[in-house]
Amino acid sequence: MARSLVAANWKMNGSLAGNRALVGGVLAGVRDLSCEVVLCVPHPYLAQVGGLLEGGRIGLGGQDVSAHEAGAYTGEVSAGMLCDVGCSHVVVGHSERRKYHGESDALVLAKVRRALDAGLVPILCVGESREQRESGATDRVVLAQVESVFGGLADVAARKVVVAYEPIWAIGTGLAATPEMAQDVHGTIRRALETRLGQDAADVPLLYGGSVNADNAASLFAMKDIDGALVGGASLDAEGFVSICAANAAR
Ligand code: PGA
């Protein structure tokens, strides 16, 4: 069975005071749970949240990383900097970055490579739009996104990537994919990874993202190839997020 992981994606939310309360609640709630938990927070808060998490069992993650190593790239944050402030993970290729910042598959691959080179675990986001699903293009779109990254990595590096399937129509809408719909796509991704990695594909954590909450988490995690979740809105509430982690630990 693949490693489980529940990753919070705070997106552009937070404040020094609010983060303190939220992280405190999450730390207390997941203390006795066995699942891996990572908080992906806005860059300005990485140091603060890293400090709050110190000595605990929750990991720290960024939400984006530069494709460049260092230098004259105003506003960008390098993989080395993320490591420097204590990150273990970074979200790469989130649909909001692909949409609002024009990130292409080639750029996403470059970012994944940078993350891996620095020792970070990239959480690679893939997913189809509503139009693509309705026109029957889901598998083709998702596989193209997966293969454009895995095709560009050496085997050793490819084994370290976490994949998050996030149908765009399910993100922030309250309309999560049904467990069966999500499993269908996760199964497709797993088979593609088997072609690439053989038996080791079974160890790649496949997360589902898109309106995961305390009520639907357990039924999603009951699916064979859904190892964990990337949680947006529901990660901003300690109690709800802890419930999702508990459902994952019980899987
Ligand atoms: P959501 O976001 O849980 O608010 O739908 C998930 C994501 O975009 O990672």
Side-chain angles (χ1 to χ4, degrees):
M1 193 153 83
R3 280 169 296 130
S4 65
L5 171 65
V6 180
N9 175 11
W10 288 5
K11 307 194 181 188
M12 200 172 70
N13 294 291
S15 67
L16 289 174
N19 301 346
R20 221 173 287 123
L22 176 53
V23 173
V26 173
L27 272 172
V30 305
R31 195 165 30 220
D32 300 322
L33 299 178
S34 59
C35 69
E36 189 178 353
V37 181
V38 172
L39 304 184
C40 300
V41 311
H43 292 153
Y45 296 130
L46 283 169
Q48 180 212 12
V49 174
L52 294 169
L53 296 177
E54 212 165 291
R57 47 172 300 282
I58 299 183
L60 183 68
Q63 298 176 6
D64 182 34
V65 63
S66 177
H68 304 286
E69 191 172 359
Y73 301 102
T74 302
E76 297 216 27
V77 169
S78 74
M81 292 171 187
L82 294 177
C83 288
D84 209 15
V85 294
C87 288
S88 52
H89 290 68
V90 64
V91 175
V92 182
H94 191 280
S95 61
E96 287 152 15
R97 300 232 31 112
R98 293 179 191 257
K99 178 173 174 196
Y100 303 129
H101 302 273
E103 292 197 6
S104 63
D105 285 338
L107 181 61
V108 171
L109 169 61
K111 291 183 170 198
V112 165
R113 282 197 178 126
R114 259 320 151 200
L116 288 166
D117 284 350
L120 293 166
V121 174
I123 302 175
L124 166 68
C125 300
V126 300
E128 83 287 0
S129 66
R130 176 168 298 289
E131 299 70 41
Q132 288 165 332
R133 173 159 286 269
E134 284 170 358
S135 68
T138 298
D139 282 3
R140 183 172 55 73
V141 167
V142 170
L143 285 177
Q145 290 171 334
V146 168
E147 280 162 5
S148 68
V149 167
F150 279 82
L153 299 175
D155 286 6
V156 183
R159 288 189 187 90
K160 296 184 181 140
V161 178
V162 170
V163 180
Y165 166 58
E166 298 205 308
I168 296 167
W169 47 269
I171 294 177
T173 58
L175 295 169
T178 64
E180 294 74 20
M181 283 161 96
Q183 168 57 36
D184 268 358
V185 180
H186 281 232
T188 301
I189 296 171
R190 186 83 72 197
R191 285 189 292 279
L193 295 180
E194 274 161 11
T195 314
R196 176 72 175 73
L197 299 172
Q199 286 182 356
D200 292 345
D203 302 329
V204 175
L206 300 185
L207 316 185
Y208 167 79
S211 296
V212 175
N213 59 40
D215 296 327
N216 61 22
S219 59
L220 287 159
F221 298 145
M223 295 290 128
K224 177 168 163 284
D225 291 300
I226 302 183
D227 305 309
L230 181 55
V231 186
S235 73
L236 301 174
D237 167 62
E239 198 183 327
F241 184 66
V242 168
S243 301
I244 295 167
C245 296
N248 188 253
R251 109 192 208 278

